[in-house]
Amino acid sequence: MNNIPPIDLAQQYKTIEEEISAAVLNVLASGRYIGGNIVESFEQKFAAYIGVSHAVSCNSGSDALYLALRALSIGAGDEVITTPFTFIATAEAISTVGATPVFVDIDAQTFNLDINQVSSAITGKTKAILPVHLFGQPVDMTSLMAVAQKHNLAVIEDCAQATGAAWEERKIGSISHIGCFSFFPTKNLGAFGDGGAITTNDRQIAATVRMLKEHGSRSRYYHEEIGVNSRLDALQAAILQVKLGHLETWNIQRSQVAARYQNLLTPLPGIVLPQSLPSGKSVWNQYTIRILAPENQDKTSEPNSWRDQVRTKMQQQGITSMVYYPIPLHLQPVYQNLGYQPGSFPVAEQVCQEVLSLPMFPELTQEQQEQVVYALKDALV
Ligand SMILES: *Cc1c(COP(=O)(O)O)cnc(C)c1O
C-alpha cells in the first residue's frame, strides 16, 4: 500500500509544468518583477472570474483581511462579528486593526457561522460581520446579507478556502462589500509562495485598498495614510494566471472526489459526513468528517482522544489526515483577555474534538480513496 498525503502539490505541478515554465521564464526575461502588466492582467482575469468589477492583489490572504477592514475604517472601539471555528488569521486581522472580534457559535452541519445567532451579538459598537466560507463550503449569504442590511453593517467575506464556490449561482466574494482571498499554495487557487486579493464592486473601496497596500499612497511619494507594503509579485501573478485557467476543472474534480467519499462512506456508523446547503456550491478545499466518540468512552480520558486514536491508526496505514482546527479561537491563549470560557460556544468546541479532514486534492484517484476508507473503517472498529 502506498502512502497517501493530505494534498499533493508536486503531482499537480507536473500536469502544468510546461505552461508554468513558459510563464515564469517570460517574467524572468521581462525585467519587471514587481507590478507591471502581468499583475494587472491577473487582477482583471480574477475579477472577471469572481464576477466583480475590481480585484486588488496583495501579499497574502491575511493582508487581504487587514486591508479590507482598514478600507472600511474599522479600528479601535469597533466590534466585528466572526466565527471561532477558523484559522487564526480571520480574527487576527480584526485585532490587528485595533478592533475586537466578537465570536458567534457555528452550525454543526456546515461548520459555518450560525446566522440565527448573529443578531443577538450585535451591539452599538458592531461595524461589520466577517463570515468564513470554511473548507470551501459557502455561508448562506442571502440570510447573512439580510441581517447585515437590517442593522446597517458591512460584510467582509473570508473566501480564503473557497475560491470558485457559489451561493445561489453567484460566486462568493461578489455578494458582500469585500471578498478576501488567499493564494497560499494549499488553497484551491494556490501560488508558489504567498499571495492574496480583495474583490469588490465598489470603486472607492478598491481605490482605498490600493492606496493602503502601497504605503498609503495614491500618487508616488505623496502619502495620505499609514499604509503597508503588500504586493503580489509578478512571478506569482504569472503562475496564478496559468492556474486560474485550470481552476474550474480542478474544482469539478474535487467535487467528484467528494461525491466518491460520500458513496464509499455511506452508511458508516460513528461518523458524520459533510453536508452542503441546497443553494450552496462547495469547492471542497477540505473533505471534513466528524468522528463521534463512542458511547462507552471513558469520560475521564482526554476528550478528543478517540478522534486522535482514529487519526493515529490511519497514519499507521500510511494515510495522513489532518485536524483543522483542534482549538476554537475563543479558547486560544491569545484571546483569554476577551473573557470567553469553555462552554461559551458548545458547538464549535464539540466540533473541534471531532473533525478529521481526509486526503482531498483534484488528482486523488478512486483507488486511493478506497484505501483511505479502508483505513478509516479499520480504525473505527
Ligand atoms: C489561509 C487562510 C487565511 C490566510 O491566508 P494567508 O494567505 O495564509 O495569509 C485566512 N483565513 C482562512 C480561513 C484561511 O484558511
Side-chain angles (χ1 to χ4, degrees):
M1 225 153 66
N2 296 319
N3 287 350
I4 301 178
I7 179 170
D8 191 345
L9 296 173
Q11 190 187 343
Q12 178 166 88
Y13 167 64
K14 274 194 234 141
T15 68
I16 51 170
E17 191 173 356
E18 280 171 29
E19 269 182 289
I20 295 282
S21 298
V24 166
L25 290 176
N26 237 341
V27 173
L28 296 185
S30 75
R32 189 79 204 261
Y33 309 125
I34 294 285
N37 290 342
I38 190 77
V39 177
E40 281 166 28
S41 84
F42 171 69
E43 287 180 344
Q44 281 159 15
K45 287 185 170 133
F46 190 67
Y49 174 76
I50 297 299
V52 289
S53 34
H54 309 276
V56 182
S57 61
C58 61
N59 184 251
S60 67
S62 304
D63 278 9
L65 290 162
Y66 168 82
L67 291 164
L69 290 157
R70 286 280 315 269
L72 296 180
S73 301
I74 292 168
D78 297 334
E79 293 177 354
V80 178
I81 292 172
T82 193
T83 165
F85 188 52
T86 177
F87 181 53
I88 184 72
T90 314
E92 194 178 43
I94 298 168
S95 302
T96 305
V97 300
T100 304
V102 172
F103 298 115
V104 165
D105 209 352
I106 59 165
D107 171 75
Q109 263 70 54
T110 60
F111 300 129
N112 284 330
L113 206 54
D114 182 350
I115 294 163
N116 296 322
Q117 295 190 43
V118 167
S119 293
S120 56
I122 295 171
T123 73
K125 293 177 176 173
T126 310
K127 288 282 154 35
I129 309 173
L130 206 174
V132 180
H133 306 286
L134 200 72
F135 304 146
Q137 166 104 271
V139 168
D140 172 352
M141 289 304 290
T142 312
S143 306
L144 188 86
M145 293 309 289
V147 174
Q149 265 146 25
K150 186 168 163 214
H151 297 273
N152 203 17
L153 301 174
V155 175
I156 299 170
E157 292 167 76
D158 184 336
C159 308
Q161 301 184 4
T163 309
W167 177 258
E168 288 179 348
E169 313 290 321
R170 290 168 75 193
K171 290 238 163 62
I172 57 103
S174 71
I175 302 167
S176 69
H177 302 87
I178 312 185
C180 299
F181 290 85
S182 166
F183 304 129
F184 185 79
T186 61
K187 307 297 161 94
N188 288 48
L189 178 62
F192 292 0
D194 276 311
I198 67 100
T199 54
T200 184
N201 282 312
D202 185 319
R203 195 173 49 86
Q204 212 130 0
I205 288 175
T208 305
V209 169
R210 216 174 267 292
M211 175 270 289
L212 289 168
K213 67 162 240 178
E214 286 166 8
H215 299 288
S217 170
R218 284 179 217 266
S219 66
R220 194 173 278 191
Y221 305 128
Y222 178 84
H223 305 278
E224 57 190 272
E225 276 193 55
I226 294 298
V228 290
N229 165 13
S230 187
R231 303 167 178 136
L232 180 72
D233 65 64
L235 277 173
Q236 300 305 339
I239 289 163
L240 287 167
Q241 191 158 300
V242 169
K243 293 186 80 178
L244 184 59
H246 296 275
L247 183 61
E248 281 298 295
T249 306
W250 288 331
N251 281 345
I252 290 168
Q253 288 172 332
R254 283 176 184 272
S255 60
Q256 288 164 349
V257 170
R260 286 202 300 252
Y261 269 137
Q262 164 108 19
N263 278 339
L264 292 166
L265 291 169
T266 311
L268 183 59
I271 64 168
V272 179
L273 300 183
Q275 281 171 32
S276 299
L277 299 173
S279 301
K281 186 191 128 200
S282 174
V283 287
W284 302 104
N285 184 251
Q286 299 296 337
Y287 188 88
T288 304
I289 63 173
R290 290 163 57 201
I291 310 281
L292 305 177
E295 293 291 322
N296 59 358
Q297 193 193 6
D298 177 6
K299 299 283 182 225
T300 58
S301 68
E302 280 293 294
N304 55 357
S305 62
W306 175 243
R307 183 265 321 273
D308 292 344
Q309 277 171 40
V310 170
R311 181 167 184 241
T312 306
K313 284 189 208 153
M314 290 177 73
Q315 187 67 63
Q316 283 158 358
Q317 308 242 26
I319 312 294
T320 307
S321 58
M322 304 295 283
V323 174
Y324 306 113
Y325 297 92
I327 304 170
L329 297 190
H330 67 284
L331 300 182
Q332 290 285 352
V334 68
Y335 281 133
Q336 286 322 289
N337 62 328
L338 296 180
Y340 297 107
Q341 312 290 332
S344 293
F345 303 113
V347 181
E349 289 165 31
Q350 168 122 14
V351 156
C352 283
Q353 320 261 347
E354 297 175 340
V355 281
L356 193 68
S357 296
L358 303 181
M360 164 54 84
F361 48 93
E363 300 80 13
L364 197 66
T365 65
Q366 165 118 22
E367 200 187 0
Q368 288 177 308
Q369 287 187 264
E370 282 165 6
Q371 277 183 50
V372 173
V373 171
Y374 183 86
L376 174 62
K377 285 183 173 166
D378 210 43
L380 285 169
V381 253

